[in-house]
Amino acid sequence: MERIKKYHRVLTIAGSDSGGGAGIQADLKTIAANGCYGMSVITALTAQNTRGVTGIHAVPVEFVAAQLEAVLSDIGADAIKIGMLFSAELIRTVAEHLKKFDVCPIVLDPVMVAQSGGRLLQDEAIAALKRSLIPLVQLITPNLPEASGLLGREIASADAIMQAAVELADLGCANVLIKGGHFEHGNSDDYLYLGAERRMVILPGERIATPNNHGTGCTLSSAIASFIAKGEPLEQAVRLAKEYITGALKSGASYAIGHGHGPVHHFFRSFC
């Protein structure tokens, strides 16, 4: 009798990007590219392209809850990635359902601002994020503006990043990855703080000159969740995901699509 196989299941809870470069679309591409089975709970619809976000339509909270119930009560998940949540009510609802189904591990990408500068998170939702959701997750992956928004101050140096990572962990999340790509000069180093070990890991990264960097945060966090779902320890999952996003950025740099910030090449390992 043939052995029954099981998928590595990754659920993404995020907004839809009509341009395909970020959000749910980037997440599902990333999950598939890294050998996992992707599922989705859509929290918002955006009218979006490479130039920016022109409209946001929030999915009713009750329907977000129905999606969560449908997926988690039947298929389940080996890891969850959370992206755009938009409102305080939605954040509380997602947190309640994650506790109900006792799902872990969870990777939270606290999406606040799109690559183009469009606001994707309401101000009053930040407090709910810190209070209701961050304490539930294994890893939070803010970029510099997002880390600054969560802490309420500017972060302008490597030392400040490391201090910020420790402070974010104090909000209740187990581990913190602050991405350094928004530094204007130098390399694109990331900083991983492993809370249980009280250990900081600096992950060096070269800065890639390309306008095609739309959806990098979504892609990285989904890749981390995918490697965790496949059984990798957290630090190794982050290292493998950083390697993946670097390759996707390099491969996507030679393409032209749209008139603004294009996407990375999610399937660069499969075809050119």
Side-chain angles (χ1 to χ4, degrees):
M1 182 177 177
E2 185 178 355
R3 182 174 63 88
I4 302 277
K5 298 180 181 179
K6 291 186 177 180
Y7 289 107
H8 303 295
R9 304 160 300 171
V10 180
L11 170 63
T12 169
I13 305 170
S16 170
D17 173 5
S18 56
I24 287 286
Q25 287 82 349
D27 294 343
L28 292 176
K29 292 173 188 177
T30 301
I31 293 165
N34 287 288
C36 294
Y37 179 83
M39 303 157 289
S40 64
V41 168
I42 298 177
T43 60
L45 308 177
T46 68
Q48 187 173 174
N49 54 29
T50 64
R51 291 176 172 173
V53 179
T54 58
I56 299 175
H57 178 73
V59 173
V61 172
E62 297 79 10
F63 193 71
V64 173
Q67 294 176 77
L68 284 163
E69 289 275 353
V71 173
L72 294 177
S73 66
D74 176 37
I75 302 171
D78 298 306
I80 292 179
K81 173 265 170 79
I82 301 176
M84 177 185 175
L85 292 182
F86 192 70
S87 71
E89 181 186 9
L90 179 57
I91 289 168
R92 289 191 291 267
T93 297
V94 169
E96 288 168 4
H97 280 75
L98 293 177
K99 286 188 285 187
K100 173 183 176 180
F101 287 97
D102 194 24
V103 177
C104 65
I106 301 166
V107 177
L108 171 62
D109 183 22
V111 179
M112 298 180 183
V113 182
Q115 177 73 42
S116 60
R119 287 297 301 270
L120 298 177
L121 185 67
Q122 297 173 348
D123 290 337
E124 60 267 26
I126 296 176
L129 192 74
K130 294 162 70 173
R131 180 176 58 252
S132 301
L133 196 54
I134 287 178
L136 302 180
V137 309
Q138 182 183 12
L139 178 69
I140 182 173
T141 64
N143 57 30
L144 287 177
E146 289 159 352
S148 296
L150 288 169
L151 293 175
R153 69 170 189 271
E154 184 180 359
I155 301 170
S157 69
D159 288 342
I161 289 179
M162 290 188 277
Q163 178 60 36
V166 175
E167 290 182 35
L168 288 171
D170 288 341
L171 294 175
C173 56
N175 308 283
V176 178
L177 176 68
I178 299 184
K179 299 167 289 189
H182 281 75
F183 270 145
E184 295 183 0
H185 306 289
N187 293 332
S188 183
D189 298 343
D190 298 335
Y191 296 78
L192 173 64
Y193 179 66
L194 301 169
E197 303 173 42
R198 297 186 178 276
R199 179 165 63 95
M200 187 72 66
V201 179
I202 300 176
L203 303 168
E206 61 180 298
R207 185 169 299 278
I208 299 163
T210 174
N212 297 332
N213 55 7
H214 182 48
T216 51
C218 305
T219 298
L220 178 65
S221 55
S222 294
I224 294 171
S226 298
F227 287 115
I228 290 174
K230 293 167 76 172
E232 296 289 352
L234 178 65
E235 182 178 342
Q236 179 66 1
V238 172
R239 290 184 183 277
L240 290 170
K242 187 170 176 66
E243 179 183 317
Y244 168 74
I245 187 61
T246 299
L249 277 163
K250 285 182 176 179
S251 297
S254 58
Y255 285 81
I257 185 169
H259 298 86
H261 291 283
V264 303
H265 191 338
H266 294 94
F267 294 102
F268 71 95
R269 288 173 173 162
S270 301
F271 61 88
C272 298

